[in-house]
Amino acid sequence: MRFLRSRWSAVLLLGCLVAAAHAATPVTVTNIEAMTNWHDCTTCANGAGTAVYSMTQHQASPSLNGNSTKFSLGGTVGLSDALWYRRSVENSIGVNFVYDLNYYYTNPAAPSGMEFSTGEHVGYRWYRWDWQCSFVFGVWRTWDNGNGKWVNTTAPCARPTAYTWTHTTFEGHRYNGKVYFDAVTVNGQKYYVNFSCYPKIVDYSGNWVTIHYQLNGDKIQTPFSTWVNKVSLKYW
């Protein structure tokens, strides 16, 4: 009986190790910009008013793989924004997230900023890794979802170069009930952030991961477009 119990314990241990290894195996969702079921809004982007905006998929040029997506912002109300978002993972077990994309501007002087986010709902908790490239402050800002405010980091964020692809990667994780912003990398230059906050408690339960992309207008709402390509989300 002692031998059987020892053997059974070993089998259970092996099963746990295999399950842990499986859970820690990264999964990557690629070319998200070319997928269906994108949603958008302007008032939910918390700008100063209602913007005019559009999203046009399957652009052959400019593109890195022949299939980029064009996002445009305009209108008549200054400092108005537009937000595009897509639920990309259902029944998430991820605790680490890497959001990676490339964007292209012809008029990078037009916007006041841009925002990128990975959001995970776990039960009644809403974990959000929102990053804002503020051209006004010249730094990356992180969203404190528990307290509903932006927090400036020391990581610089300059306007992208016109007619050039900018490659940006955002890294974050959750641990012990908190959101951790780990690092942002722009064209190979990595900046460690190390900011943490608590999630927002919501009145509905769910389990999914959403990414979003947002454009922020300037004071006179100068119209502009960006092209986005090779968007991916890695989680484990």
Side-chain angles (χ1 to χ4, degrees):
M1 291 296 295
R2 183 179 300 173
F3 171 75
L4 291 176
R5 284 197 298 269
S6 299
R7 185 176 180 180
W8 180 243
S9 298
V11 170
L12 286 176
L13 177 60
L14 179 60
C16 291
L17 292 174
V18 170
H22 177 73
T25 301
V27 176
T28 303
V29 184
T30 60
N31 298 319
I32 299 174
E33 76 283 5
M35 295 179 176
T36 58
N37 297 321
W38 277 87
H39 304 277
D40 55 70
C41 59
T42 177
T43 54
C44 74
N46 296 321
T50 301
V52 175
Y53 60 95
S54 64
M55 173 185 178
T56 309
Q57 294 178 303
H58 312 306
Q59 301 292 293
S61 179
S63 178
L64 296 169
N65 62 2
N67 195 18
S68 66
T69 294
K70 181 181 180 181
F71 296 87
S72 299
L73 181 70
T76 59
V77 181
L79 300 176
S80 296
D81 309 330
L83 164 65
W84 294 267
Y85 60 97
R86 184 183 188 279
R87 188 180 295 187
S88 299
V89 179
E90 300 285 357
N91 301 316
S92 172
I93 58 171
V95 296
N96 301 280
F97 299 93
V98 179
Y99 177 9
D100 187 274
L101 81 164
N102 301 268
Y103 47 88
Y104 182 103
Y105 276 83
T106 57
N107 184 15
S112 64
M114 22 183 349
E115 298 177 23
F116 313 83
S117 176
T118 304
E120 183 182 30
H121 287 265
V122 181
Y124 292 94
R125 289 179 170 82
W126 187 10
Y127 298 89
R128 285 175 55 178
W129 293 265
D130 288 22
W131 302 79
Q132 181 189 80
C133 177
S134 172
F135 301 138
V136 176
F137 292 98
V139 296
W140 285 100
R141 309 172 84 196
T142 53
W143 179 250
D144 182 344
N145 201 27
N147 292 302
K149 64 179 182 179
W150 287 106
V151 178
N152 288 2
T153 73
T154 58
C157 190
R159 294 182 185 273
T161 302
Y163 301 100
T164 301
W165 287 100
T166 300
H167 180 207
T168 306
T169 305
F170 307 95
E171 299 175 61
H173 73 282
R174 62 178 174 87
Y175 173 72
N176 200 25
K178 294 186 71 175
V179 176
Y180 289 83
F181 293 80
D182 298 328
V184 55
T185 303
V186 181
N187 290 331
Q189 178 63 59
K190 190 168 190 174
Y191 303 97
Y192 290 96
V193 175
N194 297 322
F195 171 74
S196 64
C197 60
Y198 285 99
K200 182 178 181 178
I201 306 301
V202 294
D203 58 2
Y204 55 91
S205 180
N207 183 217
W208 61 79
V209 178
T210 302
I211 68 164
H212 90 222
Y213 177 70
Q214 178 170 321
L215 299 177
N216 299 338
D218 66 1
K219 290 183 179 179
I220 59 174
Q221 202 68 6
T222 304
F224 68 97
S225 297
T226 68
W227 287 258
V228 175
N229 208 188
K230 300 179 70 173
V231 179
S232 69
L233 176 67
K234 181 167 69 173
Y235 63 95
W236 67 96

